[in-house]
Structures are given as C-alpha cells and as structure tokens.
Amino acid sequence: MQFANPQEARDFLAKHPEVRSIELMLIDANGIPRGKLLHRDELLAIYENGRPLPSSILSLTVQGEDVEASGLVWEVADADCWTYPLPGSLTLQPWRNVPTGQLQVSMHPTQGLPATPGDPRHVLVRAVEALKADGYHPVMAVELEFYLLDKQPDANGRPQPAIQMNGVRPQAPQVYGVYELEQVQPFLDDLYAACEVQGLPVRTAISEYAPGQLELTLEHRFDALQAVDEGVRYKRLVKGVANKHGLQACFMAKPFGDQAGSGLHMHISLADAEGNNLMASEDPQGTPLLRHAIGGMMATLGDAMAIFCPNANSFRRFQANSYAPLAKSWGVNNRTVSFRVPGGPANSRHVEHRICGADANPYLAAAAILAGIHKGIREQIDPGQAIIGNGYEQARETLPTDWLTALRNLEGSSWAREALGEDFLKVFLAIKWAEFRQFMGEVSEQDWRWYLTHA
C-alpha cells in the first residue's frame, strides 16, 4: 500500500487558496464513501501523521448502522484507526457551490488495525500483488450504467426518470439514441468538465436500454488499482454532478421491474511488466492464457456471486433477454454470455466480465475477478466451448439467482477465504447477513397487495 507524499498537500493548498473545506472519504464494504468534511488547515497533518477514523466505519450496513458481529464495534471499543491519503486523490469537487476539495484515504496496514482487514481496497491490493508475483500485470477498465432520476417521486411515491430539456419525461428505451443524449447535454457537459478537473479518463457516452439510463466508459489502465480507484471516484462524481442539476443518479441494479437493470462491466487483460498484452492473439478466442482466465472466473463464479451482486435488489436484474447473463458462459463478440471476448485487433484482446450489478463495490468485484483469473491460470482450467448465438437458449449451468443462496455459497467457500482474506470475509458476511435479516423482516407493498385480503 503506497500513500501520498506531503508535498502533494502543500502544492494543492498553494494552488487553491480559495478552498476552505475538503471532503475526506473512505470506501466501505458496500462501496459507500464514508468520512468527514475537514477545514483546509487540517489537510497537511493528514499527509504527515494520518487521520484517525473509528473502526466501526468499516462495519456499517448500507443504511449506515453498526454490525456488532463484524468484530469492529464494541469488542475493539470502536477504536481509532489511522488512515492515510492515496496518491493523486486530492482534487477539487467542481459541483459544489463553494470551492471544496476531495481526498480519498485508506487504512494503514499496521496503524489502521483492527479495521485494516475490513478495508475493501486492501482486498484488491492483495489480488493484484498475487498476480504480479507470478509475472502478470492486470489491465482493467470500469463501465458503470446508471439512471438519471427526478428527486421527486411520482404520484404513487415511486422513482421516475428525469424530465429532459424538451420538457418530456422519457418513456421508451431509445437505446443508442443521440437525441436522448442531446436532451441531457447540460448534465453531460458538467460531468465531462468535472471529470477533466479530477483527471478521470471518461470517454464515450451512451443512451442505454431504458428511459433515462446512461453509461459513460472509462479508459483502461495498465495499473488495475488505478482503474478501480478512478471508477470509485467517478461514481462519487456522477452523484455530485446530478445533485447539482437537481437530479438523482441511481446505481441500483434494478430500480424498475419492467426496465433494464444497471450493470458494472469490468474489462480485463493481463500484461507483462513492459505492458505487452499476454492475451493478444489473431485468434478471436484468444490465447490459452485468456481461456484459462475465463475458466477460472467460471469456476469461482458461484462462490463470488454475493460479491458481484451484494444486495437483494441485485438479483432482480437477472432475467432472460435482458442483456444480463444467466449462466456460466463465454463467447466471442456475444452480449448474451457472462464472459465476453470483444472483437477488435489482436493486441486489444481481453475479457469483459458482465455479471456485476452497478451496486457492487468495485474494489471487491475486481478482487474476486482477479483471484478467479489467477486460479484459472494456475490450474489451467478449461472453460469449455464458446457459446455461438443466443446464450439464453444454451444455458448449461445457471447462476444463483437469489441472495440467500449467494450468501451461503460465499460463506462456505474455501477459495473466497483464501482469495479475499478470512478476516475481511468475516466482516463482509456479518454486514450482509445483518442486511439480509433486516430486509426479510420488512413488510413491503407487495406483501400487502398479494396477501392482505386473500391469505
């Protein structure tokens, strides 16, 4: 784990005398930024001496409630644990009404104890370093789909797509519609400008397969950790820019039952130390290394589903003919499979992992993907024949499609304990079981519709 040099803080303060406040954020197990709003006078001390945060900050449910079974609350006296800044994360938040900075921190490997094992970024560092030790440098890119919603619900209290510049609330998917992109141009302009300020490599904007659904691609990075750091900061930025425009950016996996879900697609290849793509091949199906990587991801998919799809809502996304995969499958230039090898020139050969919901923690998702790849390479796992044609009709082994099964699979997985770390897995599972019990204990509108009269 590398932390930032104090000179970074000195340069920032000198360059931005107008900044009075800095948002300090740490990413928790659910991928939610947690932290504090600091005065500029506190910044340099964080670089020099670190900043304490309570151990319980990494034991929280998606609703921000302590989970005592995580071992990070009362039994360690909610101890202060020291965090330090990540290099290159100190930047501006251009969407704020007053000049504000942003700084991402992570737990120190020793000074951050007992909370360090619960820091999801450390889990990814572990997976990346394990691959590098065997001569493989993971190259990654992150794609996140999201909905732009009104802050105000509809007459029934339900979320609704935002009204466009033309005064119309979109009703049809209009996938790849350029007119639809034009209708959210003010938001996109500010989003691209904010990404430029923060150094985030955002590229193509796409109107996705639902009203109000968008995707912007991030450029691939030779450093997988950098790619995921940027994905996490991009998500924070999208929410901030949307809020500035009076909108809500929604990264739920399935906010609408009758519309497409939102995914987190991760593109992966492996390079040598000089950056040469080890999966490069004139064969569209790639090298043996690429196929073994897919084999490993397929072999570990059942155990990792609770990482890729961490919430009850995550599993509503898996429906036939929905562009969300349903089986352990792979193919070339095929969007009906879980692991897609895109077309393109030989030196661009890589795999697109299409399982994760947009609600997944990118650090944990990337770590589980890379650990699966590593297993496949070490054991030379054969992924079987590539799917040609409609993967929904050729499903050989379907995925777990419910939260309970996924959690049980993860809990019983010896691979996950080794890949993610037993201490981390204890924390993550404690949080998720607490959320599961709370979710299942809540009586919903659907309960009333189905059972109030006729049960």
Side-chain angles (χ1 to χ4, degrees):
M1 181 71 71
Q2 293 184 338
F3 295 113
N5 189 299
Q7 190 59 43
E8 184 178 287
R10 296 188 189 98
D11 292 343
F12 180 87
L13 292 171
K15 184 178 180 180
H16 297 288
E18 76 283 6
V19 169
R20 312 311 301 170
S21 300
I22 293 121
E23 180 183 287
L24 179 145
M25 66 177 189
L26 173 76
I27 306 301
D28 75 1
N30 277 303
I32 298 172
R34 309 275 184 188
K36 303 180 178 184
L37 192 63
L38 307 176
H39 190 273
R40 67 179 280 125
D41 292 346
E42 300 175 271
L43 180 64
L44 185 56
I46 298 172
Y47 277 76
E48 293 176 338
N49 306 307
R51 180 79 182 201
L53 292 173
S55 58
S56 58
I57 199 170
L58 290 175
S59 75
L60 302 175
T61 68
V62 72
Q63 297 197 89
E65 299 167 331
D66 287 339
V67 177
E68 294 181 25
S70 68
L72 295 180
V73 191
W74 307 129
E75 67 185 75
V76 295
D78 198 11
D80 274 342
C81 304
W82 262 255
T83 65
Y84 283 81
L86 299 177
S89 69
L90 180 57
T91 183
L92 297 173
Q93 291 187 331
W95 58 87
R96 294 272 196 170
N97 290 329
V98 296
T100 304
Q102 176 180 294
L103 178 67
Q104 186 179 350
V105 297
S106 184
M107 287 290 169
H108 190 277
T110 56
Q111 297 176 35
L113 294 172
T116 298
D119 187 334
R121 193 174 187 272
H122 282 262
V123 181
L124 178 54
V125 170
R126 174 192 180 112
V128 169
E129 293 303 318
L131 275 167
K132 285 183 176 179
D134 283 353
Y136 303 109
H137 294 253
V139 178
M140 299 192 77
V142 175
E143 289 180 356
L144 272 164
E145 298 167 336
F146 63 94
Y147 277 84
L148 265 188
L149 306 178
D150 266 351
K151 284 188 178 178
Q152 297 300 318
D154 67 13
N156 297 311
R158 299 188 178 112
Q160 56 185 341
I163 295 176
Q164 299 175 335
M165 281 178 60
N166 59 7
V168 174
R169 194 180 309 283
Q171 301 294 323
Q174 294 296 355
V175 63
Y176 298 116
V178 292
Y179 179 75
E180 281 62 37
L181 294 177
E182 182 183 347
Q183 297 311 304
V184 293
Q185 193 67 45
F187 165 77
L188 289 177
D189 287 345
D190 276 359
L191 190 150
Y192 275 110
C195 286
E196 186 173 348
V197 168
Q198 293 202 346
L200 299 179
V202 174
R203 297 296 180 257
T204 305
I206 303 165
S207 176
E208 274 291 349
Y209 200 69
Q213 190 184 37
L214 298 170
E215 177 188 87
L216 283 83
T217 61
L218 289 166
E219 195 172 83
H220 73 275
R221 295 296 199 186
F222 175 69
D223 181 348
L225 195 58
Q226 178 187 2
V228 181
D229 282 339
E230 290 174 343
V232 165
R233 293 166 198 163
Y234 165 74
K235 189 173 181 180
R236 172 70 185 95
L237 181 149
V238 171
K239 286 176 174 284
V241 173
N243 187 59
K244 176 185 176 182
H245 283 260
L247 306 171
Q248 180 179 5
C250 173
F251 290 86
M252 277 180 68
K254 188 75 169 177
F256 302 103
D258 58 347
Q259 301 291 350
S262 293
L264 163 63
H265 297 166
M266 306 197 87
H267 295 252
I268 316 103
S269 62
L270 297 176
D272 61 21
E274 287 72 44
N276 300 303
N277 185 0
L278 299 174
M279 293 180 170
S281 174
E282 294 293 343
D283 183 349
Q285 294 195 9
T287 60
L289 181 72
L290 183 148
R291 291 191 289 276
H292 292 152
I294 293 174
M297 288 189 287
M298 290 176 69
T300 56
L301 182 51
D303 290 1
M305 280 296 288
I307 298 291
F308 301 145
C309 304
N311 304 306
N313 178 263
S314 309
F315 293 89
R316 303 194 193 282
R317 180 169 152 261
F318 296 105
Q319 299 176 15
N321 306 317
S322 67
Y323 291 103
L326 297 178
K328 294 182 180 181
S329 57
W330 75 286
V332 176
N333 196 16
N334 189 332
R335 286 186 171 85
T336 68
V337 298
S338 297
F339 307 107
R340 169 178 172 255
V341 181
N347 63 0
S348 72
R349 202 71 65 223
H350 69 279
V351 183
E352 179 189 19
H353 185 285
R354 297 174 56 80
I355 302 293
C356 303
D359 55 345
N361 182 326
Y363 289 124
L364 300 181
I369 289 168
L370 295 181
I373 286 173
H374 205 177
K375 176 181 173 70
I377 294 170
R378 284 183 165 177
E379 299 179 15
Q380 298 190 356
I381 298 175
D382 181 3
Q385 293 294 315
I387 294 291
I388 298 174
N390 189 343
Y392 295 113
E393 295 178 347
Q394 302 175 57
R396 293 189 283 264
E397 186 178 355
T398 57
L399 304 175
T401 55
D402 69 275
W403 199 17
L404 177 60
T405 300
L407 286 172
R408 285 176 172 167
N409 287 352
L410 180 64
E411 188 172 52
S413 171
S414 57
W415 165 81
R417 284 195 295 275
E418 179 182 352
L420 306 178
E422 191 153 1
D423 290 340
F424 170 79
L425 203 57
K426 174 191 172 183
V427 173
F428 183 79
L429 284 168
I431 292 169
K432 287 299 156 184
W433 281 123
E435 291 177 354
F436 176 84
R437 288 189 294 270
Q438 189 170 359
F439 186 89
M440 294 303 295
E442 186 169 322
V443 178
S444 70
E445 181 183 310
Q446 185 173 13
D447 287 281
W448 296 325
R449 286 201 317 269
W450 282 32
Y451 307 121
L452 191 64
T453 303
H454 300 293

